[in-house]
Amino acid sequence: MSHLKLIKPTASLQDAYMDFYHEWVSSGEEIIPAALRKDPANFDQLVQHLLNIEEGIGLQEGYVPASTRWLVDEKYKILGACNIRHDLTGPLLERGGHVGYGVRPSERGLGYATFILGESLKLLKALEVPRALVTCNDGNIASLRVIEKNNGMQGLPFTEEDGNVVRRYWIDLRE
């Protein structure tokens, strides 16, 4: 995994991002993390929006600063992404957690999600977050394994109004 790194969004990777984005849209799956669901038609504006959110600029009410990172390989192909929330609000404590991450459909099962979460935890530790909350839906076995590989300790689940059970895991960052 030494050929992988998480980078800040940059306008210089527009073609790579569009490839990443269109593959995900074509799959019919919901793009994860949610921060990347925004239409990239005005790519420079999208990148600036993500960078602003990291700095806490222009946040919608109830939102917190969050760092978006793209997982790239040595050729700067975007393999996945994460959104690292610097703090938690009530809804994030219930179902969102500190980190949302996803890997493009054609690159799953290669350990990239485990890498993304591990690197995201380092960023949270640098932000002096003592414990990270990471969540996933009850049936998402792949994500459960990723969280457990990153030392997640299961907390109390949260049941949404529609009956969906959200698993909540805490990861100690004080070590």
Side-chain angles (χ1 to χ4, degrees), residues 119-146:
E119 294 298 302
S120 298
L121 295 171
K122 291 177 187 176
L123 196 150
L124 284 166
K125 187 172 184 171
L127 292 170
E128 300 181 358
V129 172
R131 287 187 333 148
L133 175 65
V134 184
T135 67
C136 68
N137 289 336
D138 190 40
N140 189 341
I141 302 304
S143 202
L144 292 173
R145 289 184 180 140
V146 165

Side-chain angles (χ1 to χ4, degrees), residues 130-132 151 170-175:
R131 287 187 333 148
N151 300 315
W170 291 96
I171 301 172
D172 190 349
L173 302 177
R174 293 172 286 198
E175 299 174 1

Side-chain angles (χ1 to χ4, degrees), residues 17-127:
Y17 184 85
M18 297 306 279
D19 183 59
F20 166 83
Y21 180 83
H22 289 301
E23 177 182 323
W24 214 311
V25 169
S26 295
S27 76
E29 296 178 22
E30 189 170 60
I31 298 174
I32 308 258
L36 301 183
R37 293 181 193 149
K38 188 174 177 129
D39 183 355
N42 186 333
F43 191 71
D44 290 339
Q45 187 177 41
L46 169 67
V47 168
Q48 190 59 55
H49 170 74
L50 294 172
L51 297 175
N52 286 346
I53 296 301
E54 183 167 357
E55 297 300 320
I57 299 169
L59 294 176
Q60 295 176 346
E61 188 173 331
Y63 280 68
V64 299
S67 301
T68 297
R69 296 293 185 266
W70 297 338
L71 177 67
V72 297
D73 64 12
E74 68 280 359
K75 295 179 182 176
Y76 286 85
K77 177 180 181 180
I78 299 174
L79 306 170
C82 60
N83 186 254
I84 304 157
R85 293 171 282 278
H86 302 183
D87 199 4
L88 297 178
T89 60
L92 290 173
L93 271 168
E94 294 171 342
R95 64 176 74 81
H98 281 99
V99 183
Y101 58 89
V103 175
R104 69 190 297 164
S106 66
E107 300 289 344
R108 293 184 185 150
L110 301 172
Y112 296 150
T114 301
F115 180 85
I116 291 171
L117 181 54
E119 294 298 302
S120 298
L121 295 171
K122 291 177 187 176
L123 196 150
L124 284 166
K125 187 172 184 171
L127 292 170

